[in-house]
Amino acid sequence: MGLLSKKDTKLITDPLADNNPITIQVLGICSALAITAELKASIVMSISVLFVLGFGNVIISLMRNIIPSKIRIIVQLTVVAALVIIVDQVLKAFAYELSKTLSVFIGLIITNCIIMGRFEAFALANGPWKSFLDGIGNSLGYGVILIIVGFFRELFGSGTLLGFPVLGDPIAKTGLYSIGYENNGFMLLSPMALIVVGIIIWVQRSRNKALVEDH
Amino acid sequence: MEHLELFLKSIFIDNMVFATFLGMCSYLAVSKKVSTAVGLGAAVIFVLAITVPLNWLLDQYLLQPGALKWLGAEYADYDLSFLSFIMFIATIATMVQLVEIVVEKFSPSLYNSLGIFLPLIAVNCAILGGSLFMQSREIPSLGLATTYGVGSGIGWFLAILAIAAIREKIRYSNVPPALRGLGITFIITGLMAIGFMSFGGMLTGGDDEAPKEAKTAKVEASKAELENNKEIANNIKVTE
């Protein structure tokens, strides 16, 4: 990577695993869980957050020296809200069905804690290029978890991936269904998202003992 | 009746935490002790009760398609609904700031208990979510919007209170090391959410003449379930 120094690469790769915004920093759970019943919705949500966090970080970082610290929360919220309106309008124009599925959760990107968290912790203290990379890295880390959860929930819940049947046809009893496999409708319900994330955390911390907390 | 129905619905069936996962960040971060959880929960009820009706007025007289009719006929087909995110969040942020100032002035004791949580609330998804759901569910009147705000606030309060109580107890049980802390909290929340799903039949099942006892029986059954969850947590502790 000629473009990125070693430090810059770390900014992107760190949040993917050892400093993941969802499983380690516990940020941005709010919107992450409700929309993961389908893989497609998870991917769109990840891309939206990538856009908002990447550019939001740059804008805040450019303005960091002129924002009075007392009203910075309101300034940050306004910047995010403006970016989210762009995402929302684009989705409504080009993917109306999907924007109905995501309903209020696109709007809730505004109060996604990852965004405020990165603004506060990183963009207010670093230059625009670094902030941009940090934003990309963190939203990728967020996206990875979303996509894993969406993958398992859609696969086990409705036997499809991105809407394509991958396990055969449940009505005509082909593929896996011919030997008695059934979809687990429970995976589509919201509580399972929590349990799947819980299991991801479990697996991650079993592999990396340094992350284990004592209660 | 309408009010009572919406009230119960927003507390139990559409519970902010268990049905829609709103306000999870602060729910997970501030639920280590019951006392702090109560403080934050009370602040959430307070702010939701103020911001939802306010945003309802904004939505009704400013943002909805055709809402600007009161300005004159030529404004009748304006549609400003794309501005709702920015208007709602601005209202919430200013209200939180305002509430903080007012509470500090008039009730220092309340300020001492709520004060530290108020800034946290501006970025709590439950607050913005309350306003957005109010908009997308098209709640018809100001009174109902207030009921909805208070109800969702109480639902959130119940949720954080329950998880804080469980987390205080679970410290004594033998959780696998890798699941400790965050992992087990997620799984418990998932189980509680399954428990709360049983409230789903509370207001939809049966005809109008459905006997009252049936309803209360269901409530009690679900309560028993919740109690059961706690009992299991206790049992784990005892067996340890």
Side-chain angles (χ1 to χ4, degrees):
Chain A
M1 289 213 200
L3 193 60
L4 302 171
S5 68
K6 218 171 192 177
K7 244 185 173 169
D8 289 351
T9 325
K10 221 170 136 47
L11 282 177
I12 292 195
T13 53
D14 246 17
L16 284 180
D18 287 348
N19 198 14
N20 190 287
I22 293 188
T23 60
I24 310 296
Q25 306 173 35
V26 214
L27 295 174
I29 320 276
C30 325
S31 53
L33 297 167
I35 43 90
T36 47
E38 284 170 53
L39 189 53
K40 198 172 165 194
S42 325
I43 294 175
V44 171
M45 190 71 183
S46 317
I47 296 172
S48 313
V49 170
L50 186 83
F51 172 81
V52 174
L53 187 52
F55 286 97
N57 251 354
V58 172
I59 294 171
I60 292 293
S61 159
L62 287 173
M63 300 201 303
R64 69 185 187 279
N65 294 326
I66 52 168
I67 303 177
S69 73
K70 278 208 165 146
I71 57 157
R72 67 178 191 285
I73 302 253
I74 297 182
V75 174
Q76 288 164 1
L77 285 173
T78 317
V79 170
V80 190
L83 288 167
V84 170
I85 289 177
I86 297 174
V87 171
D88 184 52
Q89 296 293 316
V90 168
L91 273 183
K92 273 192 183 139
F94 294 103
Y96 189 71
E97 284 306 308
L98 206 62
S99 79
K100 279 282 159 217
T101 328
L102 292 171
S103 70
V104 302
F105 291 98
I106 289 291
L108 288 173
I109 296 178
I110 299 173
T111 46
N112 192 321
C113 329
I114 291 185
I115 295 183
M116 298 304 281
R118 290 332 290 173
F119 283 1
E120 287 281 309
F122 202 90
L124 281 177
N126 288 284
W129 174 238
K130 271 191 171 163
S131 304
F132 182 67
L133 293 177
D134 179 75
I136 299 290
N138 274 285
S139 39
L140 285 178
Y142 170 85
V144 165
I145 300 292
L146 238 68
I147 287 168
I148 296 175
V149 178
F151 176 83
F152 283 111
R153 284 182 74 192
E154 192 178 346
L155 184 66
F156 292 125
S158 40
T160 57
L161 280 178
L162 291 170
F164 297 108
V166 288
L167 298 179
D169 187 344
I171 298 159
K173 299 272 176 224
T174 56
L176 258 183
Y177 296 99
S178 60
I179 53 167
Y181 176 81
E182 287 286 342
N183 282 329
N184 182 357
F186 206 54
M187 290 298 275
L188 295 178
L189 299 174
S190 43
M192 282 314 286
L194 284 163
I195 295 179
V196 172
V197 175
I199 292 171
I200 292 176
I201 294 174
W202 191 2
V203 171
Q204 191 185 16
R205 294 190 181 181
S206 314
R207 291 167 57 91
N208 188 348
K209 295 280 186 232
L211 298 173
V212 172
E213 26 177 337
D214 31 313
H215 293 293
Chain B
M1 198 55 225
E2 223 183 352
H3 283 269
L4 187 67
E5 192 176 324
L6 185 70
F7 186 66
L8 289 178
K9 199 167 172 241
S10 50
I11 293 182
F12 294 111
I13 303 173
D14 292 328
N15 185 293
M16 282 273 181
V17 174
F18 297 128
T20 46
F21 301 122
L22 295 181
M24 282 303 264
C25 306
S26 21
Y27 168 85
L28 291 167
V30 194
S31 62
K32 278 189 181 137
K33 272 173 63 187
V34 171
S35 52
T36 44
V38 168
L40 183 67
V44 166
I45 299 181
F46 197 57
V47 174
L48 264 177
I50 295 173
T51 54
V52 173
L54 256 181
N55 281 334
W56 185 86
L57 287 175
L58 269 181
D59 186 43
Q60 212 67 14
Y61 295 107
L62 202 61
L63 298 171
Q64 267 182 9
L68 287 173
K69 231 184 289 172
W70 56 274
L71 269 181
E74 67 267 40
Y75 294 102
D77 45 353
Y78 277 36
D79 176 5
L80 295 180
S81 52
F82 68 92
L83 282 178
S84 38
F85 295 154
I86 215 162
M87 292 296 283
F88 286 176
I89 199 69
T91 315
I92 290 167
T94 31
M95 273 323 292
V96 169
Q97 205 101 65
L98 214 75
V99 166
E100 198 181 344
I101 295 168
V102 170
V103 170
E104 189 180 10
K105 179 108 175 88
F106 291 106
S107 169
S109 62
L110 184 67
Y111 180 76
N112 283 337
S113 52
L114 287 188
I116 33 168
F117 299 115
L118 283 171
L120 257 181
I121 281 184
V123 287
N124 187 330
C125 343
I127 310 290
L128 182 63
S131 292
L132 289 175
F133 273 123
M134 175 273 299
Q135 189 192 31
S136 72
R137 286 177 189 162
E138 293 169 359
I139 288 180
S141 76
L142 185 62
L144 280 174
T146 319
T147 312
Y148 178 71
V150 176
S152 335
I154 294 179
W156 201 87
F157 177 83
L158 275 184
I160 197 169
L161 190 63
I163 193 74
I166 293 177
R167 280 181 84 169
E168 275 195 358
K169 294 285 180 201
I170 210 152
R171 196 169 308 149
Y172 304 108
S173 44
N174 188 15
V175 180
L179 260 182
R180 266 176 208 160
L182 193 56
I184 196 71
T185 312
F186 266 96
I187 291 177
I188 294 172
T189 310
L191 293 177
M192 281 162 73
I194 295 172
F196 263 69
M197 276 168 64
S198 58
F199 287 116
M202 199 163 77
L203 295 172
T204 50
D207 46 290
D208 289 348
E209 290 299 307
K212 255 191 174 164
E213 302 92 81
K215 281 187 188 173
T216 42
K218 258 180 196 159
V219 177
E220 249 144 61
S222 325
K223 263 190 194 158
E225 199 160 323
L226 228 148
E227 215 69 289
N228 225 4
N229 276 351
K230 283 185 191 164
E231 212 129 276
I232 291 168
N234 277 342
N235 281 347
I236 297 171
K237 176 189 138 197
V238 172
T239 44
E240 226 229 311

